[in-house]
Amino acid sequence: MDFLHLYERFDAPIRSILDLKTVETIELSTQSSTIPEVQNFLSLIRFSRASSLDLRIWYNQFIQETQSFESILLNIDSFAPRITRLELSVDENGYTVPGDTRALSFPRLPEVRNLTLSSGSMQLDISFPQDPFLPSIRSLIFDRCKKLELKW
């Protein structure tokens, strides 16, 4: 998402959140982005009527072991509260050590009805909350999940 860097062009702090009410589908890719850049962008924008989110999380050389893009999932309610379709793709940009496992914790996503999870070549260790985290789920698809470890 090239416009992640738009907020850096302003010298004055942005005081209000931009609500893009006509947007129905969001595609967000973290390729070439750092966690603070993504967090800053998502703190400045809201998609109050969007129902679909395609989220592509790319781990790269900027990501430290203790950092995670989980904060995007944890904050879906703040920037896109009506998401019913979530496509989550997690992969790496060739900067990970072979055999390196990344942990990903899912938050409770009560509105999501359709979830597609793709992990590509990444080895993921996914954990889910104990309570029903997808109470509205109708469709669950695992795509290209060669190295996936689930903890239900």
Side-chain angles (χ1 to χ4, degrees), residues 74-91:
L74 293 171
N75 292 314
I76 282 180
D77 282 346
S78 65
F79 72 89
R82 294 187 183 189
I83 295 298
T84 59
R85 186 191 147 283
L86 174 61
E87 184 172 322
L88 177 62
S89 176
V90 182
D91 214 337

Side-chain angles (χ1 to χ4, degrees), residues 30-33 58-63 69 93 95 102:
T30 63
Q31 193 170 18
S32 303
S33 299
W58 291 91
Y59 284 94
N60 56 45
Q61 74 271 27
F62 303 113
I63 307 304
F69 282 109
N93 283 348
Y95 296 101
R102 296 287 181 155

Side-chain angles (χ1 to χ4, degrees), residues 6-18 40-41 43-45:
L6 283 177
Y7 71 91
E8 294 175 346
R9 295 185 183 174
F10 299 100
D11 291 331
I14 298 176
R15 300 194 193 292
S16 62
I17 295 173
L18 176 62
N40 285 338
F41 171 73
S43 71
L44 300 174
I45 198 157

Side-chain angles (χ1 to χ4, degrees), residues 1-5 7-8 28-43 55-64 67-72 93:
M1 186 173 260
D2 291 333
F3 61 92
L4 277 177
H5 301 284
Y7 71 91
E8 294 175 346
L28 177 62
S29 175
T30 63
Q31 193 170 18
S32 303
S33 299
T34 64
I35 292 168
E37 289 172 332
V38 173
Q39 290 173 331
N40 285 338
F41 171 73
L42 292 176
S43 71
L55 178 58
R56 287 163 182 63
I57 297 175
W58 291 91
Y59 284 94
N60 56 45
Q61 74 271 27
F62 303 113
I63 307 304
Q64 301 299 317
Q67 295 177 320
S68 172
F69 282 109
E70 287 177 8
S71 62
I72 297 172
N93 283 348

